[in-house]
Amino acid sequence: MAEVVLKNINKVYDNNVQAVFDFNLEIKDKEFVVFVGPSGCGKSTTLRMIAGLEEITSGELYIDGVLCNEVEPKDRDIAMVFQSYALYPHMSVYENMAFGLKIRKLPKDEIDKRVREVARILEIEPYLDRKPKALSGGQRQRVALGRAIVRNSKVFLMDEPLSNLDAKLRVQMRSEIIKLHHDINATTIYVTHDQTEAMTMADRIVVMKDGYIQQIGTPKEIYNNPANIFVGSFLGSPAMNFIDCRYENGKINVAGMSWDVPDMFHEDLMEYNGQDVVLGIRPEDIHGEVIVHSTYPSAKFTYKVEICELLGHEFVVHGQLGGSRVIAKVPSRLNISIGEEVDLFVDMAKIHFFDKKTTRLIK
Amino acid sequence: MKYYYYQISKANGEIQLLEFLKENYRKEFSHTKINDTTGILLAEDDFFDFMDTILSLFIHDFGMSLTIVASYEESDTALFFLYKATSLCYEKCSYLCDVLLMCILHQQDVKKYLIKQFGHLDHDELLCALMYINCGMNVSRAADKLYIHRNTFTYRLNKFITSTSLDIRDFHNAMYFYYAMQLLICA
């Protein structure tokens, strides 16, 4: 397996559109890194540059310490899994898995050994003689993964491999890929626009927007300390609430209310005294229980519930606070209903402040 | 049958492509080489679906890029659109209409090729073809709109198809003609 290093990578197309700006990342051996971001953010372009399917305009790409900018895709020792579980439709499962090895002219018995071993790991041995059309979506996806695994590649690249699966199968395949990664321990780069996939699968996440890296970190780091408003809003479902407020002498003014800001924020907010900032609160950090109220007595608000979604163990309630839509997650035992006025309490230890102009986290 | 113009990233990469097709497409096709990286494959309509399905796999397995444009005729215009596709529809299987649309969206100058292709046509035949598209490819409605008998309309439409080789009863050909006319008329 291998380390992948991207140094100051830029991609500019012939029509002068720049898709990736100064991309820097060091991926450790055996690491599972997820590139996540909305459509057009440059994540697939970056992946294709690593695969050698897209030329690197400037910067350096190292795979296992070797500069690979000019190395042919087939010589990079990379295996790629595509969207829509692409398979050769006219070949059997066995032939599909063996094809990449066959054109590399590996001995037949070596190919056979590898294909059968991988088929065993993926539990697709009974289907080796079938054509892809005779397989279910999940089985096809496993074969597509198998095509990549048999190559014993240093690096695995996965370009939204689950995007064409239905929701149930996607969840199932997600855990299978995680399990597979633990079994084969390959350095893996996974591209997705689905934040749930990123959060559940990654060792580290690279959040991208408009060709720029917004933040790199473990799922926990990124979730708990988003670098800017975009990252805060992109990861987490429902998204983080953002409320305009004014900071003044250890307090914030939120929709006419004055909330005490915990001491731990005072130093960071010192230069914003008397200025408008953006307050970020995750829906799960707004509580319905009075017990939170005793810790932060001032951080309380009342709003009229506009939408109330019961998810079984909890309600997702929507309402307005000072002109901003605020979503909270509260336990279903609280029996909240639409139109009701409810008291909610903010866990002030878990709030975030963002600079209104730069949108960056204030820290 | 359609003409599949291709461009491959590796010089003489067509040798691997042709070997692959012989072994896996398993239907008749013929090949004309234009230069070391460009050529034309003449094959059935289903060749498009075949290539579209396996293109990403082929590119990855063989480590070379491949861009394909399906054309109804062998012409300089088709070759021109192939070259456009290598930047606008890179590593994709596209119909002429797809590439033309991308050219329009990217404000590329394609008019002189379209004028060369459609500029010399008989007015009545062109009008028939346009009305056919505008009436959702419905012969009766189009004939009614032009106040001509259905048989006259069909005769003129067939004449258009014969003189241009552009069978606009095919959806993708119809789209190509529609975009071309929109561009020429708007211009």
Side-chain angles (χ1 to χ4, degrees), chain B residues 132 135-144 150-151 153-154 157:
Chain B
Y132 177 66
C135 291
M137 296 155 92
N138 183 317
V139 171
S140 303
R141 268 180 62 204
D144 274 355
R150 188 190 154 95
N151 291 350
F153 181 87
T154 310
L157 186 64

Side-chain angles (χ1 to χ4, degrees), chain B residues 25-70:
Chain B
Y25 178 54
R26 294 173 191 162
K27 282 190 183 174
E28 288 285 307
F29 67 90
S30 63
H31 175 249
T32 310
K33 186 169 174 166
I34 296 174
N35 58 39
D36 281 352
T37 55
T38 313
I40 311 166
L41 293 155
L42 180 63
E44 296 283 347
D45 286 5
D46 69 353
F47 182 76
F48 187 93
D49 295 332
F50 174 80
M51 286 309 294
D52 193 37
T53 309
I54 60 103
L55 195 67
S56 58
L57 295 168
F58 179 89
I59 289 166
H60 184 55
D61 283 338
F62 289 89
M64 49 187 154
S65 77
L66 179 63
T67 302
I68 294 177
V69 174

Side-chain angles (χ1 to χ4, degrees), chain A residues 129-165:
Chain A
D129 294 328
R130 288 196 196 172
K131 292 274 168 67
K133 68 178 176 195
L135 301 176
S136 70
Q139 288 161 347
R140 282 187 217 186
Q141 185 67 43
R142 268 182 247 166
V143 179
L145 288 171
R147 271 179 45 84
I149 299 167
V150 287
R151 293 168 67 159
N152 283 349
S153 299
K154 287 178 189 166
V155 181
F156 276 51
L157 305 180
M158 300 191 184
D159 191 0
E160 306 219 20
L162 308 183
S163 62
N164 281 18
L165 302 180

Side-chain angles (χ1 to χ4, degrees), chain A residues 62-77:
Chain A
Y62 294 91
I63 298 173
D64 220 5
V66 178
L67 182 65
C68 283
N69 290 44
E70 302 300 326
V71 176
E72 287 280 307
K74 68 177 173 56
D75 300 326
R76 292 190 184 194
D77 206 358

